[in-house]
Amino acid sequence: MAYLKLYRDKLRANYHFLDELFKKNDIKWGITTKLLCGHEAYLKEVADLGIGEMHDSRISNLRKIKEIDPDTMTTYIKPPPRDIIESVVKYADASLNTELSTLHALSEEAQKQDKVHKVIIMIEMGDLREGVIRENLIGFYEKVFQLSHIEVLGIGTNLNCMHGVMPDEDKLIQLSLYKQIIELRFNKTIPLVSGGTTVTIPLLLRNQLPSGINHFRVGEALFFGKDLFTDGTIEGMHNDVLELYTQVIEIAEKPKVPSGELGKDPQGRTANIDEEEYGETSYRAILDIGYLDINPDHLINVEEDVKIVDASSDMLILDVGDNKSGYEVGDFIRFRMKYMGALGIMNSDYIDKMVE
């Protein structure tokens, strides 16, 4: 057995830290909930924070958010696939866009549903994920402003989401300038410059964020308190809103080195043997979780006497030394997780999710 626990008080503490920070700097923000994979109880916990704006990359999750709180503003945070345009207009008040043909389809569908669909146009600023090429920006906006049932809510960018390109003052000043150029060129008002995500928060804390950036989309900082510049925790925030509890299903003293002819393991790897460990033993604990649920590289030890050895599809192997902690079958060993690890756990139907 294994289960994930969300600590409500720590979630709320992180939320209030961020909310006060953004309010102090006149910044609007929304919570990115894609980590939660549509888990209803966890979505309710986020909705109860009172944020009023939630973002997700799956339309089924946005539908659940609307069922929980119809007044919450929802944003679909990637260019919408053509096959779900009807659902995007129905369940997302806004979406992030980069393709004119998709925007035409959104406008036509919004007209059918008697709505005006809001959009944030994403700009390519160097990380080479989604985004309109900057040289094409004026012509792109000229065509978007002609769409009858589209409202341009903002201009935005994503950094550190593909190749690890970090935000800096120059890139974010450029983004703000593009907004001003477009407003002057077309005599339009663009309310939001959505240049902020978790990776941008340290710039705000160091007073290095250009004043034109007035909108953030935040997920990882809320759930992990993560400072992506230092790979540490933002001072004043919790890094343990979510913790994974895994049950010991076997514990025994065993050799440190496998015996017999070595072939490739199920992942196509051949074990590297440390010859100095021949004849040595340690206690090995087997836990009821494996690669099916999480990559061991995405687990962070909480217990000091635990060392992750490896995993198979559904079992995790730990070296617990001489077992000074006295682990027994049935005990639970606790871990924190990196973002991608938590994403895998949330997407696993085999792991129970709890709130405390």
Side-chain angles (χ1 to χ4, degrees):
M1 180 183 178
Y3 63 89
L4 184 68
K5 185 177 286 187
L6 181 147
Y7 293 96
R8 179 184 290 124
D9 289 347
K10 293 176 181 179
L11 175 68
R12 291 178 176 174
N14 279 0
Y15 169 76
H16 288 301
F17 178 97
L18 292 169
D19 196 47
E20 290 175 11
L21 174 67
F22 293 135
K23 283 179 178 175
K24 183 173 66 175
N25 290 276
D26 295 322
I27 291 172
K28 295 181 179 179
W29 73 294
I31 294 173
T32 299
T33 57
K34 62 182 178 181
L35 173 74
L36 305 181
C37 295
H39 189 272
E40 189 169 348
Y42 285 5
L43 285 175
K44 285 181 178 177
E45 291 295 330
V46 173
D48 286 347
L49 296 171
I51 183 64
E53 182 181 335
M54 295 165 71
H55 311 148
D56 211 295
S57 58
R58 304 288 177 176
I59 201 66
S60 58
N61 299 343
L62 293 177
R63 182 175 64 244
K64 287 182 181 179
I65 291 169
K66 282 297 189 184
E67 290 170 356
I68 292 168
D69 185 357
D71 294 328
T72 295
M73 179 182 170
T74 51
T75 302
Y76 187 83
I77 54 169
K78 62 181 180 181
R82 294 297 295 274
D83 291 345
I84 64 166
I85 291 294
E86 180 180 354
S87 295
V88 169
V89 173
K90 184 174 182 179
Y91 298 113
D93 300 302
S95 59
L96 309 186
N97 283 270
T98 60
E99 289 287 345
L100 280 171
S101 61
T102 301
L103 285 157
H104 276 281
L106 286 167
S107 183
E108 291 172 3
E109 182 58 40
Q111 185 174 17
K112 291 178 185 176
Q113 295 187 30
D114 194 25
K115 292 181 176 181
V116 173
H117 185 73
K118 298 178 175 64
V119 299
I120 294 175
I121 306 301
M122 302 300 284
I123 312 303
E124 172 53 57
M125 298 293 291
D127 201 40
L128 297 181
R129 206 177 72 169
E130 83 280 16
V132 178
I133 301 300
R134 282 168 275 182
E135 290 79 2
N136 302 334
L137 203 55
I138 297 299
F140 191 93
Y141 267 92
E142 184 175 20
K143 293 181 175 67
V144 175
F145 284 134
Q146 295 172 7
L147 298 176
S148 61
H149 286 70
I150 293 293
E151 176 186 341
V152 178
L153 183 63
I155 186 171
T157 195
N158 269 316
L159 293 167
N160 194 242
C161 291
M162 177 59 69
H163 291 95
V165 174
M166 302 298 281
D168 57 35
E169 289 184 82
D170 287 343
K171 285 186 180 298
L172 296 175
I173 287 171
Q174 286 178 42
L175 187 65
S176 299
L177 288 174
Y178 287 131
K179 178 250 193 189
Q180 295 175 35
I181 290 169
I182 293 164
E183 287 184 327
L184 289 171
R185 172 68 173 79
F186 298 105
N187 194 26
K188 299 280 188 178
T189 298
I190 298 177
L192 301 181
V193 181
S194 189
T197 59
T198 288
V199 72
T200 322
I201 291 173
L203 296 181
L204 180 59
L205 290 168
R206 297 198 294 261
N207 297 315
Q208 295 176 339
L209 186 76
S211 59
I213 306 300
N214 64 1
H215 185 256
F216 272 61
R217 311 176 307 275
V218 178
E220 190 168 1
L222 177 68
F223 297 108
F224 299 95
K226 192 72 171 178
D227 182 332
L228 293 175
F229 275 82
T230 65
D231 200 35
T233 303
I234 295 170
E235 186 176 354
M237 299 194 76
H238 295 278
N239 62 11
D240 54 355
V241 171
L242 294 166
E243 287 192 327
L244 177 66
Y245 289 77
T246 54
Q247 192 169 42
V248 178
I249 57 176
E250 178 190 298
I251 188 160
E253 188 175 6
K254 296 186 179 183
K256 288 188 173 183
V257 177
S259 59
E261 183 177 350
L262 294 177
K264 293 186 182 296
D265 67 13
Q267 298 187 71
R269 305 171 304 185
T270 302
N272 292 318
I273 302 301
D274 184 349
E275 294 185 359
E276 294 183 0
E277 292 185 337
Y278 275 115
E280 295 184 6
T281 63
S282 66
Y283 278 86
R284 287 199 166 200
I286 300 181
L287 305 183
D288 188 24
I289 198 169
Y291 273 105
L292 183 62
D293 311 293
I294 191 169
N295 185 322
D297 291 341
H298 295 151
L299 289 169
I300 300 170
N301 287 337
V302 175
E303 316 297 346
E304 293 182 357
D305 56 350
V306 165
K307 178 182 178 182
I308 297 171
V309 177
D310 206 342
S312 62
S313 59
D314 52 11
M315 287 185 281
L316 180 70
I317 315 302
L318 304 181
D319 185 330
V320 295
D322 57 6
N323 197 22
K324 285 183 179 178
S325 295
Y327 294 118
E328 298 178 352
V329 170
D331 288 345
F332 283 87
I333 295 178
R334 185 169 50 110
F335 296 92
R336 289 187 288 111
M337 297 156 291
K338 298 176 183 178
Y339 181 90
M340 294 304 294
L343 189 65
I345 289 292
M346 284 302 309
N347 201 39
S348 175
D349 291 336
Y350 302 113
I351 306 299
D352 292 334
K353 283 82 177 177
M354 303 178 182
V355 178
E356 181 175 296

